[in-house]
């Protein structure tokens, strides 16, 4: 009689463990899907903002180059000066690229992926 009770308890325990495992698998599938969608949404937003920023920068650059060109009475010099400004900005960003990119990316993805739910 005691053996039958132990056997039933073991069967119940086995069934409960299986249900718990199945629930955990479903939970982590949903969690993974949520993280994937958050990452995709963030990447899409960054791409759209990047495209808009490039367009704005393009129009402001042309306007600045034309303005400098009118002031110097030579449009080529205006575009050359704007190009030199961008070249200087490139070298500055290139010299500090690791601090800018790695730190911000690591901080942002750490907040998203390591957040306790």
């Amino acid at each position: 009689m005691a053996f039958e009770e132990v056997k039933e308890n073991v069967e119940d325990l086995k069934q409960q463990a299986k249900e718990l495992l199945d629930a955990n698998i479903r939970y982590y599938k949903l969690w993974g899907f949520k993280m994937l969608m958050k990452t995709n949404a963030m990447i899409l937003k960054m791409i759209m903002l990047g495209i808009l920023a490039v367009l704005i920068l393009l129009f402001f650059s042309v306007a600045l180059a034309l303005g400098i060109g009118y002031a110097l009475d030579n449009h080529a010099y205006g575009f050359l000066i704007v190009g030199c400004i961008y070249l200087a900005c490139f070298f500055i960003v290139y010299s500090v690229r690791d601090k800018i990119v790695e730190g911000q990316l690591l901080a942002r993805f750490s907040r998203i992926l390591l957040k306790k739910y």
Side-chain angles (χ1 to χ4, degrees):
M1 193 149 206
F3 181 71
E4 291 296 324
E5 288 178 21
V6 171
K7 187 176 178 183
E8 287 177 16
N9 287 340
V10 169
E11 291 295 324
D12 288 342
L13 183 63
K14 196 167 138 181
Q15 182 63 28
Q16 289 175 354
K18 184 178 182 323
E19 289 173 4
L20 178 66
L21 183 64
D22 289 341
N24 278 337
I25 289 172
R26 287 193 310 265
Y27 171 77
Y28 283 111
K29 280 183 182 180
L30 285 172
W31 182 80
F33 179 73
K34 180 181 177 182
M35 287 298 116
L36 180 67
M37 288 301 107
K38 274 188 165 184
T39 304
N40 285 342
M42 186 187 327
I43 290 171
L44 184 62
K45 282 190 261 184
M46 291 297 173
I47 288 172
M48 289 182 348
L49 288 174
I51 289 171
L52 288 174
V54 167
L55 286 173
I56 291 168
L57 187 65
L58 175 72
F59 285 116
F60 278 133
S61 298
V62 170
L64 180 65
L66 289 175
I68 293 172
Y70 280 126
L72 297 176
D73 290 329
N74 190 343
H75 292 295
Y77 286 153
F79 283 97
L80 182 65
I81 291 171
V82 170
C84 289
I85 292 170
Y86 282 126
L87 190 62
C89 289
F90 169 76
F91 284 124
I92 291 170
V93 170
Y94 185 77
S95 66
V96 295
R97 69 188 178 276
D98 293 335
K99 295 176 187 173
I100 293 172
V101 175
E102 287 178 9
Q104 289 181 359
L105 280 177
L106 184 62
R108 178 170 287 182
F109 280 105
S110 295
R111 277 194 309 265
I112 292 172
L113 294 176
L114 300 178
K115 185 177 178 183
K116 296 290 181 189
Y117 294 100

